[in-house]
Structure formats: C-alpha cells, structure tokens
C-alpha cells in the first residue's frame, strides 16, 4: 500500500503528506466495503430466497428472518443509516428496521439458528465478522457475481 501511495504522489506531483494518505485510505476503504445489495443477495441465497423477496412487503417468517439477518449485517458492515436500510428493503420505516436489527441482535444471544446463519454468512469468505477495512477484494467481486452459488445443500 505504501508503494502504491508513493507512486500516486509521484505521478500526481504531490508531496506525500497526511491529506494524501487520508484520501487514499478513504478511497480504498469505500471500494472494499461490501454493498448492501451484496449482503442482501448473500442472505437471500443462504435462506433459499430471491433478493426480490427481501425487498417485498411479505411478512412470512422465513422472509422476515432472512431480511432481518441482511439488515443486521448491512448495519454492521456498511454503516448505513436505518432510513437508508429501510429504503433499500422495500421502503420500510426506520423504526421497523430498528426492530428487525434488535430482533436479530437478541437472536444472536439466544437462538442457535440465528447465530449459525450470521456466522455462516460471514464465514462464506465474502463478509467479515466486523468492518475493519482490511479484507480482500472478494467483496468487490461478489458485487459483480450474478450467480452466487455459495450455499449448496
């Protein structure tokens, strides 16, 4: 990363200073952070659903669980606001998204199925346990992958 930063500074004719390092890191982190769409598609695939199911108005238990896991991971990994998450998941109110997030958070403490779902989605190699800015470009590739054949049963 340092060599890339030095090369960029030389190419642009700029000094290697704190401002350049901050811009470089911000750009790099935003490229590597998973998109909400990637998280939702992985969650839908894991639960045997379509992305359209997660954004629909249905309240079927299986869809609610999958949507909740996607909301939880989306909030943890993208840092998007509850309003932004609600807009993505079918125009839901931020309080509905908050309820979903808290339900999954509670399930992580008490429900082995919820714990397993979140852990398996994180362990599939495309989602980190928490955003630390330091994982691979597999997330970027997942955004472009139309056929996510990760969860064969």
């Amino acid at each position: 990363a340092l060599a890339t930063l030095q090369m960029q500074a030389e190419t642009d004719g700029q000094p290697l200073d704190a401002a350049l390092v901050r811009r470089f890191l911000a750009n790099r982190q935003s490229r590597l952070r998973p998109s909400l769409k990637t998280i939702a598609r992985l969650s839908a695939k894991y639960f045997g659903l379509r992305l359209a199911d997660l954004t629909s108005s249905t309240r079927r238990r299986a869809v609610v669980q999958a949507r909740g896991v996607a909301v939880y991971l989306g909030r943890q990994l993208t840092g998007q606001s509850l309003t932004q998450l609600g807009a993505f998941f079918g125009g839901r109110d931020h309080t509905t998204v908050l309820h979903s997030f808290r339900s999954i958070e509670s399930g992580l403490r008490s429900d082995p199925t919820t714990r397993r779902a979140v852990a398996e989605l994180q362990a599939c190699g495309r989602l980190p346990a928490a955003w630390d800015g330091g994982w691979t470009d597999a997330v970027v590739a997942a955004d472009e992958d139309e056929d996510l054949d990760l969860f064969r049963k």
Side-chain angles (χ1 to χ4, degrees), residues 125-136:
R126 297 181 188 251
L127 298 178
W131 170 248
D132 63 3
W135 25 278
T136 68

Side-chain angles (χ1 to χ4, degrees), residues 49-108:
L49 302 169
R50 298 172 299 129
L51 177 59
D53 294 330
L54 299 188
T55 59
S56 72
S57 62
T58 187
R59 294 182 186 178
R60 288 183 321 166
R61 183 179 301 235
V63 175
V64 169
Q65 178 71 8
R67 185 186 302 129
V69 168
V71 163
Y72 176 82
L73 290 170
R75 179 74 169 156
Q76 293 290 349
L77 302 176
T78 68
Q80 290 193 7
S81 70
L82 298 173
T83 302
Q84 291 169 319
L85 290 167
F88 180 84
F89 287 104
R92 287 172 166 70
D93 185 73
H94 75 281
T95 57
T96 302
V97 174
L98 181 60
H99 174 74
S100 180
F101 179 86
R102 287 180 175 166
S103 294
I104 297 301
E105 201 171 43
S106 173
L108 288 172

Side-chain angles (χ1 to χ4, degrees), residues 25 27 37 43 46 50 57 64 80 84 87 90 92 123 137 153:
L25 291 175
N27 182 24
K37 184 176 182 180
S43 181
Y46 178 84
R50 298 172 299 129
S57 62
V64 169
Q80 290 193 7
Q84 291 169 319
R92 287 172 166 70
D137 292 319
K153 294 189 179 184

Side-chain angles (χ1 to χ4, degrees), residues 12-30:
D12 295 344
Q14 297 178 347
L16 185 56
D17 59 4
L20 182 62
V21 171
R22 274 194 288 278
R23 284 193 309 274
F24 175 80
L25 291 175
N27 182 24
R28 182 174 178 194
Q29 287 178 349
S30 68

Side-chain angles (χ1 to χ4, degrees), residues 38 41-42 45 126 141-143 145-151:
T38 297
R41 287 172 59 205
L42 288 171
K45 183 71 173 180
R126 297 181 188 251
D143 272 340
D145 186 7
E146 290 301 318
D147 183 24
L148 297 172
D149 193 24
L150 298 172
F151 305 106

